[in-house]
Amino acid sequence: MAKIKLGIIGGGIDSAVGKAHVSAIRLSNEFDITACKFSKDLGLDKKSHNSYQIPWRSKPKDLKAFINEFKSELDMVLLLTPSTQHFDESSILIKSGMPFVTEKPVACSLDEVKKITKMINKYPNIYSRFIHNYSGFPLYRELVRRAKKGFIGNIRDVRVQMPSDGYARISVLGPPQNWRHTKSPIPMLSLDLGTHLCHLVSLLIGKSPGILNSRQRVLNNKLDLIDDIQIWNEREDGISVSYWMSKGHLGIKNGLSIEVYGDNGSLKWELLDPDHLVQSDINSNQLKINRGSILRKLNQLDRFKPGHPTGFIEAFANFYQDLSDDFHRFRKGQTPNIWISPITEALEGLEFLHAATKSHQSRKWVKYE
């Protein structure tokens, strides 16, 4: 099939994630990067084009004008702009009929979530997806497969966490980007990290009504930024889920992990050891599963043989390869790729994180539908 013509908005050389996206897109070998606007700053836009080795062309500053001018060159647009801009830019893309994928979060408040949901319902034929690269790791996918196949019995408890130390090291690293200081209705930490955790849980066990409680605090930074959040979710399907996200714990760069406990065993996967999955049985005996032993279809995206650990960019490229497959399926009216979620899932995750904030503010358990 022909490569997908992809335009990129944001993600210049001054961004935290631009280079990772461009590297993963190229590694997937499914896209042609065409018209891009990496920055509103002309000099920075030119430098970014040069750094990414993409020819620079003059472009309008306005996103709507950009789409109108380059629509014939674009199959899809990737939004890598600051979180606070996503709602306005996604709205423009939806109304213009342009397929798009956006970095998380899709929105920054419940009000924005409701408005985007309304637009998605009004324009159901617009292809809209969101970035969820951590689910591209083969051993996370193996964890999902084993849990769904009943390898550990009925799931009772899920624990997912993503601690790190970025805000605790501001004196060394300097302050985060200005937009991360925004006092949004849903704390920026939830928008940044919680969105990933909600997606990983959703792929694993889906959605269920229930009640939740949360604690959100400033633990270890001088900018008064919430840097430590815990959420406890008791679901009507009988599964308890606990979330922990942090940027205030020294000694941890990215402690992403997920633990799944059933009535006949457990499963655990962590980012710091991405090519192994630990499965325990009813006697607490542990089996360490390596990437070379999992289903071939989960490993078909491997770029080198097991024994050479899967990295972040490789998992990101897996996401883009699946995204390409999902986009082609969408155009043909076929069943979606099982590893690519619709943007509505991200909106549901934001509703969950909004409820967690309300719980923290009220110091009470709150209902979540």
Side-chain angles (χ1 to χ4, degrees):
M1 288 182 286
K3 289 186 178 181
I4 296 167
K5 295 179 289 185
L6 180 70
I8 303 176
I9 306 297
I13 54 174
D14 61 328
S15 76
V17 76
K19 186 176 181 180
H21 274 278
V22 173
S23 299
I25 290 165
R26 286 173 167 162
L27 189 59
S28 75
N29 201 33
E30 297 288 338
F31 297 84
D32 276 331
I33 300 176
T34 57
C36 299
K37 190 170 185 62
F38 295 113
S39 176
K40 292 180 180 179
D41 180 279
L42 182 61
L44 190 55
D45 187 43
K46 288 182 176 181
K47 288 180 181 178
S48 299
H49 276 80
N50 183 60
S51 178
Y52 297 146
Q53 298 182 354
I54 298 170
W56 183 86
R57 290 178 289 170
S58 180
K59 304 173 188 72
K61 289 186 177 181
D62 177 73
L63 177 58
K64 188 175 181 180
F66 173 90
I67 297 301
N68 288 336
E69 183 168 338
F70 294 100
K71 199 164 189 175
S72 64
E73 298 182 30
L74 300 170
D75 293 321
M76 183 190 300
V77 166
L78 169 63
L79 282 183
L80 300 181
T81 49
S83 300
T84 49
Q85 297 175 208
H86 290 174
F87 168 74
D88 289 336
E89 292 165 338
S90 295
S91 300
I92 291 170
L93 292 170
I94 292 170
K95 291 176 182 178
S96 70
M98 175 58 64
F100 73 99
V101 57
T102 175
E103 254 291 0
K104 47 79 191 163
V106 175
C108 292
S109 70
L110 186 60
D111 182 57
E112 290 182 350
V113 168
K114 290 178 178 178
K115 289 178 180 177
I116 288 194
T117 300
K118 188 175 181 179
M119 278 188 282
I120 292 294
N121 291 334
K122 186 177 179 180
Y123 301 97
N125 294 323
I126 302 299
Y127 185 86
S128 55
R129 300 293 186 264
F130 66 101
I131 299 296
H132 40 275
N133 48 294
Y134 289 107
S135 56
F137 280 92
L139 268 295
Y140 166 77
R141 296 182 176 192
E142 178 69 8
L143 177 146
V144 171
R145 185 186 78 85
R146 288 180 179 243
K148 288 182 179 294
K149 289 289 187 180
F151 279 56
I152 59 172
N154 297 309
I155 298 173
R156 302 298 191 197
D157 188 49
V158 176
R159 303 188 178 197
V160 60
Q161 65 180 36
M162 200 173 187
S164 58
D165 65 1
Y167 289 179
R169 302 183 66 238
I170 287 173
S171 61
V172 178
L173 302 175
Q177 299 101 317
N178 289 335
W179 60 267
R180 292 186 187 273
H181 297 218
T182 303
K183 301 295 184 181
S184 52
I186 302 172
M188 195 58 67
L189 185 68
S190 283
L191 298 174
D192 195 9
L193 305 185
T195 47
H196 282 301
L197 302 186
C198 285
H199 167 68
L200 295 175
V201 171
S202 179
L203 266 184
L204 175 67
I205 55 174
K207 181 185 177 183
S208 171
I211 58 174
L212 60 84
N213 206 333
S214 178
R215 182 185 70 179
Q216 308 183 359
R217 59 177 176 166
V218 179
L219 177 70
N220 194 11
N221 73 85
K222 297 179 180 179
L223 297 177
D224 195 36
L225 299 173
I226 291 177
D227 59 9
D228 183 53
I229 295 176
Q230 296 182 64
I231 304 172
W232 302 274
N233 182 205
E234 299 293 337
R235 297 164 41 123
E236 289 184 5
D237 60 9
I239 302 174
S240 299
V241 187
S242 62
Y243 301 77
W244 174 38
M245 61 204 82
S246 166
K247 290 193 177 185
H249 285 75
L250 287 166
I252 310 175
K253 296 304 177 192
N254 188 337
L256 174 64
S257 69
I258 184 164
E259 301 172 14
V260 189
Y261 296 92
D263 55 14
N264 200 37
S266 66
L267 294 161
K268 180 179 180 179
W269 176 79
E270 56 185 341
L271 183 65
L272 294 180
D273 187 13
D275 278 1
H276 294 100
L277 170 66
V278 177
Q279 180 176 319
S280 300
D281 65 18
I282 199 166
N283 294 313
S284 295
N285 296 313
Q286 292 188 338
L287 173 66
K288 196 170 189 178
I289 298 138
N290 69 65
R291 184 161 55 93
S293 66
I294 67 176
L295 281 184
R296 182 178 178 84
K297 68 179 181 180
L298 295 183
N299 249 347
Q300 65 183 356
L301 302 179
D302 277 2
R303 292 168 185 86
F304 200 47
K305 59 187 177 182
H308 301 78
T310 305
F312 180 82
I313 300 299
E314 285 86 345
F316 221 150
N318 291 347
F319 165 81
Y320 274 110
Q321 198 154 331
D322 287 333
L323 182 71
S324 171
D325 176 63
D326 187 69
F327 185 62
H328 287 301
R329 286 169 176 263
F330 179 85
R331 282 182 157 182
K332 295 176 181 177
Q334 297 175 345
T335 305
N337 182 294
I338 63 170
W339 298 109
I340 298 296
S341 301
I343 203 168
T344 49
E345 186 211 282
L347 296 168
E348 290 169 355
L350 290 168
E351 290 176 344
F352 177 86
L353 295 171
H354 172 82
T357 300
K358 288 297 184 183
S359 169
H360 167 73
Q361 292 169 345
S362 66
R363 296 291 193 269
K364 296 178 181 178
W365 288 83
V366 299
K367 287 185 178 181
Y368 170 71
E369 298 297 331

